[in-house]
Amino acid sequence: MNIHEYQAKAVLKSYGAPVAAGVAVFSAQEAEAAAKSLPGPVYVVKTQIHAGGRGKGKFKELGPDAKGGVRVVRSVDEVKSNAAEMLGNTLVTKQTGPAGKQVNRLYIEDGAAIARELYLSLLVDRGTGRVAFVCSTEGGMDIETVAAETPEKILTLPIDPESGVTDLDAIRLAEALKLEEPAKSEGMALFKTLYKAFTDKDMSLLEINPLVVLEDGHVRVLDAKVSFENNALFRHPDIAELRDETEEDPKEIEASKYDLSYVALDGD
């Protein structure tokens, strides 16, 4: 089961991960109120759909010159006008396919002064049967592109389930990401936090792209994509409540009622 970015950040924040202040909204009026509640003066208006590549996506109804699904603005009025333009329209990204997804909600987030963008994820490594970290200094890019063009810039680190993330593991990850203080200490703590969240909540994927180092040297989770193991949801009713069926294929929803694992593919 997938959840939205703002929901993923709320889960991670409950474990102590550093995330920016933000508000989920469903109308332009709510977006305006949300912006007024944030520090500013820079805001980020983010579409909330279950697909990556939102920033480079295009809205079907707005023409090729329109901005994408993640917009940095500098006033409350711009937040409101951009929200009005984005809500209700269809965003097409590399992951949505040509049909795209209708934008029904947005996340209004406080802006960040970014110095570096990094890639960090946790997943289940089928080869080792362990949870593994994947990290790279090339954040903000598709990890598949990095793997194809500069594989030497990716570190995959399986974690021993008996010991969890050790100090040595944390140091290896910090060194691979070339972190310096205070980001190094914060990063080492964050790796352990993310592993605990991953295992506690039975996640199948936790991707942070990008994890950023701010100009003041601190780290922040700038984006978050989280998927959960469906067969473990009975243990997490709080997570099951986050399900957004409007983002799912109706055929897959129907199949789930009968405990069937069904994945819709292209074709008829």
Side-chain angles (χ1 to χ4, degrees):
M1 186 188 86
N2 298 321
I3 60 175
H4 291 289
E5 172 196 356
Y6 74 92
Q7 295 169 324
K9 286 183 174 177
V11 172
L12 298 182
K13 185 178 180 180
S14 71
Y15 279 85
V19 300
V23 183
V25 302
F26 298 84
S27 69
Q29 290 71 29
E30 289 182 358
E32 180 182 22
K36 289 179 178 178
S37 73
L38 298 173
V42 178
Y43 311 90
V44 188
V45 184
K46 296 184 172 184
T47 53
Q48 297 296 286
I49 60 173
H50 289 179
R54 293 168 295 159
K56 296 180 180 179
K58 294 294 182 182
F59 285 94
K60 275 189 174 182
E61 300 86 350
L62 302 183
D65 297 328
K67 296 179 181 178
V70 177
R71 304 179 182 181
V72 178
V73 300
R74 297 184 178 274
S75 72
V76 173
D77 287 342
E78 283 187 281
V79 170
K80 183 178 180 180
S81 61
N82 278 274
E85 183 176 274
M86 298 159 82
L87 284 166
N89 286 325
T90 306
L91 184 65
V92 179
T93 77
K94 288 183 177 180
Q95 294 188 13
T96 64
K101 285 182 176 288
Q102 180 172 303
V103 177
N104 299 315
R105 63 186 80 186
L106 303 171
Y107 189 47
I108 312 303
E109 190 173 56
D110 195 36
I114 302 170
R116 297 180 62 213
E117 295 188 1
L118 311 170
Y119 177 90
L120 181 68
S121 68
L122 289 89
L123 46 77
V124 178
D125 187 330
R126 305 297 178 184
T128 63
R130 295 180 173 183
V131 175
F133 280 87
V134 178
C135 71
S136 173
T137 54
E138 307 304 298
M141 296 177 58
D142 294 331
I143 195 63
E144 294 83 2
T145 301
V146 180
E149 297 179 357
T150 53
E152 70 279 2
K153 293 185 178 181
I154 298 177
L155 170 69
T156 300
L157 181 65
I159 301 299
D160 186 334
E162 292 188 2
S163 59
V165 180
T166 64
D167 289 343
L168 182 59
D169 292 329
I171 289 172
R172 286 190 64 190
L173 291 168
E175 289 178 346
L177 293 174
K178 299 181 180 179
L179 297 179
E180 299 178 356
E181 296 296 349
K184 182 176 181 179
S185 295
E186 293 178 359
M188 289 174 64
L190 178 61
F191 305 143
K192 296 180 180 182
T193 295
L194 296 179
Y195 182 82
K196 179 172 175 55
F198 189 97
T199 53
D200 280 359
K201 295 298 186 180
D202 289 306
M203 298 179 184
S204 56
L205 173 69
L206 197 177
E207 183 179 59
I208 300 171
N209 188 23
L211 171 70
V212 299
V213 179
L214 303 174
E215 290 182 356
D216 62 9
H218 296 285
V219 297
R220 179 180 293 178
V221 174
L222 201 68
D223 195 6
K225 178 180 179 181
V226 173
S227 299
F228 298 90
E229 170 53 55
N230 287 344
N231 293 322
L233 286 176
F234 72 93
R235 292 200 288 247
H236 308 287
D238 57 324
I239 297 299
E241 290 179 357
L242 302 179
R243 184 179 184 183
D244 181 1
E245 292 189 351
T246 65
E247 290 288 323
E248 300 178 24
D249 188 299
K251 297 186 290 295
E252 294 182 9
I253 295 173
E254 184 66 17
S256 70
K257 297 177 182 178
Y258 302 94
D259 292 327
L260 296 175
S261 179
Y262 174 82
V263 178
L265 301 176
D266 294 337
D268 54 36

